Amino acid sequence: MGFTADSARRCLKDSDGDVEVAVSMLLSEAAEGVSGSPNRKAVERSETVRIMFTGFVAARQHMQMIETIGAEIVESIEEAHTATHIIVTDGATKFRRTPKLMVCICKSPNIIKLEWLEQSAKEQRVLDTAPYLLVGDKEAEKHYSFSMKETIQNGIQVRETTGGVLGGLYVYICSGVAGNDAPSTKELNLIIEAAGGKVLSSLATCKLLDPAKTIVVTSDPSTPSQLREPGVRNILKLGGKTMKTSWLFHVIITQCINPVIELD
């Protein structure tokens, strides 16, 4: 029916931490219909399938298909972190790095094509996602400088090891970032939280934080006023880092931090 958190953790453990091998195991199990033990099969199939569309508008017939396979629809970005299956293209619409996608990609490896839902409805059951993953979209991967296969691998690993690609990090968003070629403040906060980061509304409490694990996000390009905001200079002196929004979005779409920020 797709990759669950339990199956991802199991394959990562069975592969001795080799993420690429773990992903291959997941794809192999999905393609072959391997269920493992009866108890494992029961557990994985008990998880509710929650579908989110992003990047295109779903038709009424697609909503009916969701009912046909016994799944649930997720519509608001506030609930995007609960989606298990994220449908990002109908085959005609180009892949877009939407705020909803950036939340979802931090939580689920099931980034798929609409064809998955159509075929699932046709067979009246939830199909495995492996054949329908959006991998190999050369145009999208070139445009956003990423590889979906690597993103899936990275995401499984960071969720297992740190709770998310921004796990263990504090993130402060400077004034003038939201809405300036960037999502809204609410959307930015939801993206950071989905990635495991802690959103800071102020740097006034910097004494309570670990400055070396604090990221100050500026617009791209940054402005002098952003670097003069209260607490920013102090955080930077103590080992914090300033990063532009382009860096943040690339971290999310690749599920990999570059440059690497040490978390002990």
Side-chain angles (χ1 to χ4, degrees):
M1 62 183 290
F3 303 144
T4 66
D6 288 340
S7 61
R9 282 193 289 270
R10 169 176 52 77
C11 287
L12 189 62
K13 180 179 179 181
D14 291 346
S15 64
D16 295 325
D18 189 315
V19 180
E20 187 165 358
V21 172
V23 171
S24 295
M25 291 170 65
L26 283 168
L27 293 173
S28 178
E29 289 188 7
E32 297 176 11
V34 177
S35 60
S37 67
N39 289 338
R40 178 182 298 153
K41 182 176 182 180
V43 170
E44 293 186 358
R45 290 196 175 181
S46 68
E47 295 188 15
T48 302
V49 173
R50 294 175 59 80
I51 298 171
M52 170 161 269
F53 297 99
T54 183
F56 72 101
V57 179
R60 181 180 300 177
Q61 66 191 58
H62 300 135
M63 299 301 180
Q64 295 173 338
M65 291 176 185
I66 291 176
E67 293 184 10
T68 297
I69 63 174
E72 298 178 356
I73 181 69
V74 180
E75 297 184 288
S76 71
I77 191 168
E78 290 86 356
E79 295 297 319
H81 68 283
T82 69
T84 61
H85 293 62
I86 302 87
I87 300 177
V88 296
T89 178
D90 57 3
T93 306
K94 293 183 179 180
F95 173 87
R96 292 171 52 216
R97 191 184 60 190
T98 66
K100 287 181 178 179
L101 172 72
M102 287 194 281
V103 170
C104 293
I105 209 166
C106 292
K107 292 294 187 178
S108 172
N110 296 313
I111 311 300
I112 53 181
K113 307 169 187 175
L114 180 60
E115 184 184 1
W116 168 82
L117 177 60
E118 295 171 337
Q119 291 300 317
S120 292
K122 184 177 181 180
E123 297 190 27
Q124 297 188 353
R125 64 188 180 94
V126 176
L127 296 177
D128 293 314
T129 57
Y132 307 99
L133 292 172
L134 189 71
V135 294
D137 185 335
K138 294 182 179 180
E139 183 178 357
E141 295 186 352
K142 180 179 180 180
H143 182 71
Y144 293 112
S145 300
F146 83 115
S147 160
M148 183 63 79
K149 180 179 179 181
E150 292 180 3
T151 293
I152 291 173
Q153 294 172 351
N154 295 339
I156 292 172
Q157 183 177 45
V158 295
R159 285 190 289 273
E160 177 69 19
T161 56
T162 63
V165 69
L166 296 179
L169 297 177
Y170 300 96
V171 183
Y172 173 73
I173 306 293
C174 288
S175 300
V177 169
N180 182 15
D181 290 327
S184 68
T185 298
K186 178 178 74 173
E187 292 169 337
L188 285 170
N189 290 347
L190 290 170
I191 291 167
I192 292 166
E193 290 169 355
K198 170 69 174 178
V199 178
L200 301 177
S201 59
S202 169
L203 291 177
T205 57
C206 62
K207 292 183 179 179
L208 303 177
L209 310 176
D210 184 344
K213 296 179 182 177
T214 301
I215 300 173
V216 177
V217 177
T218 70
S219 53
D220 190 359
S222 59
T223 66
S225 62
Q226 290 174 335
L227 301 179
R228 289 197 300 267
E229 288 186 23
V232 170
R233 289 183 178 178
N234 187 47
I235 284 290
L236 298 182
K237 289 179 181 178
L238 295 174
K241 295 178 174 61
T242 57
M243 296 294 183
K244 298 180 176 65
T245 48
S246 55
W247 173 87
L248 175 62
F249 301 152
H250 194 254
V251 165
I252 299 300
I253 199 67
T254 62
Q255 290 293 286
C256 179
I257 291 183
N258 188 16
V260 174
I261 296 177
E262 298 295 338
L263 300 178
D264 298 331

